Amino acid sequence: PRAPSTRNNIRDCSADPPYLPPTATDTTARLAALRGTLRTHGAQAYIVPSTDAHMSEYISERDARLGWLTGFTGSAGTAVVTQDKAALWTDSRYWTQAERELDCNWELQRTTSIESIGMWIVKAVPAGGNVSLDPFLFSIDTWNSYSRALHGSGRTLLALETNLVDQAWGDQRPLPSSSEIYSLPAEFTGRSWQEKVAGIRQRMEQHVRRPTAVLLSGLEETAWLFNLRGDDIPYNPIFYSYTLLTNTTISLFVESSRLSAAARESLRSGCPGPLCVELQEYGQVSAHLRRYSQGNVTVWLGTEYTTYGLYGIIPQEKLLEENYSPVMMAKAVKNAHEQEMLRAAHVRDAVAVIQYLLWLEKTVPQGLVDEFSGAQHIDALRWAQEHSRGPSFQSISASG
């Protein structure tokens, strides 16, 4: 039976019994499972971000830990769970949505500031307590912000290599993508991956610090460098990977069984030699970096896309930190051929949009179209265009 709530599409936790809309998720069992893992690891609180291990703007279902734990499906948020409390922080785009999706186990905090999260933790966790998190899901800057927020409070930030949400999620967690990783034909790139690698090595030589390696964590960095594409994350033509590029070697960390025959052949074409790509399993990047960092080396990385977990492996004196890696900077400058391809893609997209506007002019007066069917129709028109790999984000369709 409906509680006497003026708006029955949002939760009412003050009602007796509390009222939950049909869009809310019951998270009681999930929280109990997470709290069990917290006890096992001797931690009093656990921080869960909405990011993946590559600081991607969009994430895969397998990385939607925040969504699974809370029921909240917005693209940005942070949760903190203690033995007796649970709270979600998100920005104003998502406040109404959160009230529809959260159950009454959760407090909604209408801010995203790390200071606010720190203050809540200090109230919820007794002095001497450990606040744990997965260092491979936090950027260097975010980790440092939490460290500052808890500094001097008597609460310790504890990096746990095991992800506790993954443990609680267990075998219900979606499997990693198994789709093919393919080569982007030369007609789209204007430069071979060998030329790109040579360009990055030249930047390494010209840098005043003479770095011996570049570490790539952003998924689009590796995809761009090797002219490879995949679809591990919806609306993004990328795949899970890391790259460690040195003056003489190239290590690509990826599920190699997923590479198409043509992609594998392209990467192996320079073997043996400095343009031979050594394929290593995706999960081996930490161990490899640890071994490499023992030598007389300097590792160049971009702090925007590198997690604190990887950053912490490299001794401070062997690091060359900049906001963006040299690959991200090179990728940002499009060559003449890429510019031509961009324009051609926009022309094809414009054709689809014009077809859509014409279709709307005919169908809207007949009352035959709503926002949802309109979004489906423009997607279909785009798919019909040559070279289409789908939209770059889910259609946002609104009228009136």
Side-chain angles (χ1 to χ4, degrees):
R2 243 176 217 163
S5 163
T6 48
R7 297 182 61 193
N8 56 30
N9 65 347
I10 64 169
R11 64 183 185 157
D12 183 355
C13 297
S14 63
D16 186 22
Y19 170 73
L20 293 178
T23 45
T25 300
D26 180 354
T27 61
T28 306
R30 298 172 187 188
L31 281 166
L34 178 61
R35 285 170 173 147
T37 66
L38 267 174
R39 280 192 293 276
T40 308
H41 287 85
Q44 281 70 49
Y46 194 61
I47 307 175
V48 183
S50 55
T51 51
D52 67 7
H54 302 271
M55 303 294 107
S56 307
E57 183 183 359
Y58 290 76
I59 56 169
S60 69
E61 279 184 25
R62 182 176 169 78
D63 285 319
R65 297 173 177 93
L66 185 78
W68 174 79
L69 181 67
T70 64
F72 170 69
T73 60
S75 69
T78 303
V80 182
V81 176
T82 68
Q83 284 304 336
D84 57 354
K85 288 190 171 72
L88 171 82
W89 284 257
T90 190
D91 64 75
S92 57
R93 291 174 299 170
Y94 294 120
W95 292 344
T96 303
Q97 180 178 337
E99 293 287 11
R100 289 174 180 170
E101 293 181 334
L102 297 175
D103 66 7
C104 291
N105 287 311
W106 293 90
E107 300 168 25
L108 175 60
Q109 303 287 336
R110 294 166 190 263
T111 171
T112 54
S113 88
I114 289 175
E115 290 76 18
S116 145
I117 299 174
M119 280 159 56
W120 187 93
I121 288 171
V122 169
K123 280 187 196 151
V125 173
N130 287 327
V131 180
S132 57
L133 43 71
D134 179 344
F136 292 94
L137 292 181
F138 289 83
S139 71
I140 299 161
D141 285 350
T142 305
W143 172 281
N144 290 337
S145 298
Y146 279 109
S147 199
R148 281 194 298 274
L150 296 176
H151 182 71
S153 71
R155 282 82 178 161
T156 309
L157 209 52
L158 178 69
L160 288 179
E161 303 265 322
T162 311
N163 188 290
L164 302 191
V165 174
D166 293 353
Q167 276 197 335
W169 204 345
D171 58 9
Q172 297 301 300
R173 188 179 173 213
L175 294 169
S177 174
S178 57
S179 62
E180 190 175 71
I181 299 166
Y182 57 95
S183 281
L184 196 64
E187 66 192 90
F188 294 108
T189 61
R191 281 174 86 196
S192 69
W193 69 258
Q194 291 91 339
E195 289 174 280
K196 292 179 179 180
V197 165
I200 301 304
R201 282 178 169 158
Q202 196 178 353
R203 288 185 183 217
M204 289 162 69
E205 278 171 34
Q206 290 166 349
H207 198 286
V208 64
R209 291 260 325 259
R210 297 301 285 270
T212 59
V214 174
L215 175 66
L216 305 179
S217 291
L219 299 181
E220 60 271 47
E221 297 181 290
T222 289
W224 176 85
L225 186 64
F226 296 112
N227 293 334
L228 295 175
R229 297 291 185 268
D231 59 0
D232 290 9
I233 297 177
Y235 309 110
N236 290 260
I238 49 185
F239 52 91
Y240 289 106
S241 56
Y242 294 96
T243 300
L244 189 71
L245 172 66
T246 77
N247 299 317
T248 54
T249 64
I250 308 167
S251 299
L252 170 58
F253 301 87
V254 68
E255 290 310 327
S256 55
S257 60
R258 295 175 48 207
L259 289 163
S260 72
R264 191 180 288 265
E265 198 179 318
S266 160
L267 296 172
R268 288 290 168 87
S269 58
C271 296
L275 284 173
C276 173
V277 180
E278 294 164 29
L279 297 174
Q280 314 234 17
E281 284 310 296
Y282 172 75
Q284 290 300 305
V285 65
S286 296
H288 185 93
L289 198 55
R290 198 167 272 117
R291 282 193 302 275
Y292 181 77
S293 298
Q294 287 168 2
N296 181 22
V297 298
T298 302
V299 180
W300 192 0
L301 54 80
T303 54
E304 288 283 327
Y305 288 88
T306 308
T307 61
Y308 186 80
L310 283 183
Y311 171 82
I313 289 171
I314 308 160
Q316 203 63 42
E317 69 278 6
K318 297 179 181 182
L319 269 170
L320 167 54
E321 298 172 56
E322 291 181 0
N323 286 351
Y324 299 100
S325 78
V327 168
M328 204 56 107
M329 301 305 283
K331 171 183 165 297
V333 182
K334 303 302 179 194
N335 64 40
H337 190 73
E338 285 172 319
Q339 292 179 32
E340 194 186 315
M341 294 292 101
L342 279 168
R343 292 189 190 100
H346 277 283
V347 169
R348 290 194 297 274
D349 192 66
V351 170
V353 173
I354 291 164
Q355 288 172 330
Y356 179 58
L357 294 174
L358 182 65
W359 177 80
L360 284 178
E361 279 178 25
K362 288 178 180 167
T363 50
V364 169
Q366 298 167 32
L368 299 174
V369 61
D370 57 26
E371 286 95 334
F372 183 67
S373 65
Q376 286 184 305
H377 190 72
I378 193 164
D379 281 352
L381 292 170
R382 285 183 161 134
W383 269 114
Q385 285 295 320
E386 194 184 5
H387 308 307
S388 174
R389 292 270 175 179
S392 57
F393 57 87
Q394 195 172 359
S395 285
I396 300 169
S397 177
S399 69

